[in-house]
Amino acid sequence: MEGLHLTADCFDCKADTEFFLCQEQLSKLLTKITIEAGLTIVGQKYHSFNNPDGSAAGVTGTLLLAESHVAIHTWPEKNAVTLDVYVCNFHQDNSEKARYIVDSLIRHFQPDTVSRQQITRGQMTSATSGTETLSTERLSSSTFYSTRTTPLLQTRSQFQQIEIADSADFGKLMRIDGAMMTSEKDEFFYHENLIHPAAITHPAPRTALIIGGGDGGSCRELLKHPSLETLTLCEIDPAVVSISREYLPEIHQGSLDHVKVRHIHADGFAYIRECGELYDLIFLDLTDPQAPDGSTLAATCITEEFFQACAAKLTDNGMLVMHLGSPYYHPQRYCDTLRKLFVSFPVVRPYSVFIPLYGALWGMAIASKGIDPIALDASTVKQRIEHRQLKLLKYYNDEVHHALFVLPNFMRKLMPTTS
């Protein structure tokens, strides 16, 4: 009984007409995608409809699966398609297989607009969808930050617990393992300041790597730089990408499916060690380096070994960018991470920005082999912003660029001593 039920209503589709009218073509398509997903077909049935004048009027098809079913109905008169996929997770988690089928069919039919729904079947949860609750995150062992939310999705992927909720102050938001990740209304505080200080400092970034960042906000900001040719998104958990596609379109704005974006689902450290490419920019858009309970997926990506591996994958003007946690609530982690960066890079520039969703001042850093974001004069920053037509930015501008790197005294004291 326990399983995942996905539906999608696709409008203004651009796929070939034969896939709206021909049973045989539709059957081949559904069979191919379902087998690719790794699900087991045990039966199938298709029926073609006709208009009163005898002309074709759409097809309904259903695949019976050992894991449940896949159903489709085409509406050629509206260039529309409705999809219905349900998988049972009794013996194993088939959720990603279901998402693969829906995502593949949406890509094939090329709709202008998609309405997607997701229901977790057969599970009793403590927070029922539609019921307001208090979402609380630990900032430290003694301090908590809360906001009222209405749960929309609670699911466990292969790697972590993922939640989507709605809220008055933040709009839709994502939590992973109980930690706030991103929200519709305040994501620009984080994404613009993670991406643009380094991207503007680079004369013309062509290649970039984001490790993490499955919500697509960092991709969206990087793609605003016209010189960028390729962007690799290395997100270990494909469920984060799939869920973000469905629930957080205001954040990714289609960037997750941009032609320049290549998806890799692998551990970030493993990918860095094995890839043969060099990057102008590497961004570590990870979950918290260490949660208050000590658990984290990102632990391997905050080591000296990892930072040195990243340095080896950077071009001469390349930069590594990451967040450091809160210098107030996590001072030891903040200092230790900076110390490890200084071991691997000759130039390390910490900066900070307040993130409303996190309830704290948040530390970030740019590390490079030589290029220095502080050395860039204000007029050059302004010229590059104008030349690259970085319009509609909500936070970052030429004056903010240098202001970000001004450290208050308590943060200066956290800077590691270098000799």
Side-chain angles (χ1 to χ4, degrees):
M1 179 179 179
E2 179 181 321
L4 181 68
H5 196 166
L6 305 176
T7 68
D9 301 329
C10 306
F11 304 96
D12 297 320
C13 298
K14 299 180 180 62
D16 291 341
T17 304
E18 61 181 344
F19 290 101
F20 292 86
L21 301 175
C22 179
Q23 282 190 38
E24 183 179 357
Q25 291 297 329
L26 199 59
S27 174
K28 287 180 180 179
L29 176 65
L30 259 66
T31 299
K32 175 178 179 292
I33 290 174
T34 302
I35 292 173
E36 288 175 349
L39 295 174
T40 308
I41 301 172
V42 297
Q44 55 183 298
K45 178 68 175 177
Y46 291 85
H47 179 79
S48 295
F49 294 88
N50 294 308
N51 292 310
D53 63 1
S55 61
V59 178
T60 286
T62 301
L63 297 185
L64 302 180
L65 309 177
E67 300 83 3
S68 197
H69 70 259
V70 177
I72 187 170
H73 188 88
T74 67
W75 307 79
E77 70 276 13
K78 297 182 178 180
N79 291 324
V81 177
T82 56
L83 308 174
D84 184 312
V85 180
Y86 176 41
V87 291
C88 174
N89 292 334
F90 182 71
H91 293 294
Q92 65 179 0
D93 189 350
N94 293 304
S95 299
E96 287 312 305
K97 297 175 182 179
R99 293 190 178 99
Y100 176 86
I101 292 174
V102 173
D103 290 346
S104 298
L105 288 170
I106 289 173
R107 283 195 295 272
H108 179 85
F109 281 98
Q110 305 173 58
D112 282 345
T113 306
V114 181
S115 174
R116 302 176 65 152
Q117 298 82 34
Q118 174 170 312
I119 303 172
T120 301
R121 305 285 296 272
Q123 283 187 330
M124 296 294 291
T125 59
S126 57
T128 304
S129 179
T131 302
E132 190 175 68
T133 187
L134 197 63
S135 294
T136 301
E137 181 179 351
R138 293 175 61 182
L139 297 181
S140 72
S141 59
S142 303
T143 300
F144 298 79
Y145 178 69
S146 299
T147 187
R148 292 195 177 278
T149 61
T150 302
L152 301 176
L153 168 72
Q154 296 183 2
T155 187
R156 176 138 199 108
S157 73
Q158 177 185 355
F159 299 98
Q160 54 206 345
Q161 182 73 21
I162 304 171
E163 301 171 59
I164 301 292
D166 205 357
S167 66
D169 289 338
F170 298 104
K172 289 181 184 175
L173 58 84
M174 173 185 282
R175 296 207 306 168
I176 293 180
D177 286 339
M180 300 291 189
M181 291 292 110
T182 190
S183 83
E184 290 176 323
K185 291 186 178 181
D186 88 322
E187 55 80 23
F188 67 91
F189 284 77
Y190 177 86
H191 289 125
E192 288 189 16
N193 290 298
L194 182 74
I195 298 300
H196 295 303
I200 282 292
T201 298
H202 196 286
R206 296 188 307 107
T207 59
L209 166 66
I210 299 173
I211 297 178
D215 57 68
S218 293
C219 287
R220 182 199 71 220
E221 292 304 313
L222 258 178
L223 289 167
K224 293 178 180 179
H225 293 263
S227 62
L228 194 71
E229 297 174 1
T230 60
L231 170 53
T232 301
L233 181 66
C234 181
E235 166 60 64
I236 192 172
D237 192 346
V240 173
V241 177
S242 296
I243 291 170
S244 296
R245 276 196 181 105
E246 181 174 352
Y247 284 93
L248 303 176
E250 291 297 317
I251 293 178
H252 62 75
Q253 295 180 15
S255 63
L256 290 169
D257 297 307
H258 195 281
V259 67
K260 293 181 181 180
V261 176
R262 177 180 63 145
H263 289 267
I264 301 290
H265 295 302
D267 174 76
F269 199 172
Y271 176 76
I272 281 290
R273 284 185 296 192
E274 296 168 6
C275 79
E277 303 172 54
L278 294 179
Y279 295 98
D280 293 320
L281 299 169
I282 297 176
F283 296 90
L284 307 185
D285 188 1
L286 301 164
T287 53
D288 288 349
Q290 187 175 359
D293 64 1
S295 63
T296 178
L297 271 178
T300 60
C301 293
I302 55 169
T303 63
E304 288 182 19
E305 184 183 3
F306 176 70
F307 293 150
Q308 289 166 4
C310 287
K313 300 298 181 180
L314 287 171
T315 59
D316 290 341
N317 283 330
M319 286 169 277
L320 172 74
V321 187
M322 67 178 298
H323 75 88
L324 307 170
S326 169
Y328 184 82
Y329 291 108
H330 319 131
Q332 191 60 55
R333 180 211 307 170
Y334 179 90
C335 184
D336 288 346
T337 307
L338 281 176
R339 178 185 56 77
K340 295 171 188 175
L341 286 172
F342 273 108
V343 170
S344 303
F345 295 91
V347 176
V348 178
R349 294 298 185 188
Y351 60 104
S352 62
V353 59
F354 180 81
I355 310 292
L357 184 67
Y358 301 169
L361 184 71
W362 216 248
M364 299 182 178
I366 296 175
S368 80
K369 297 179 178 180
I371 195 168
D372 190 342
I374 292 180
L376 203 66
D377 63 81
S379 62
T380 300
V381 174
K382 186 174 183 179
Q383 288 171 4
R384 289 182 180 177
I385 290 174
E386 293 175 350
H387 177 71
R388 300 179 193 184
Q389 298 184 353
L390 298 182
K391 301 175 181 179
L392 304 178
L393 297 181
K394 297 181 181 180
Y395 197 111
Y396 180 81
N397 58 43
D398 55 306
E399 294 179 339
V400 163
H401 177 90
H402 290 93
L404 289 170
F405 296 95
V406 177
L407 301 182
N409 290 337
F410 87 95
M411 289 177 63
R412 291 183 180 182
K413 291 181 179 181
L414 295 176
M415 291 286 287
T417 56
T418 58
S419 58

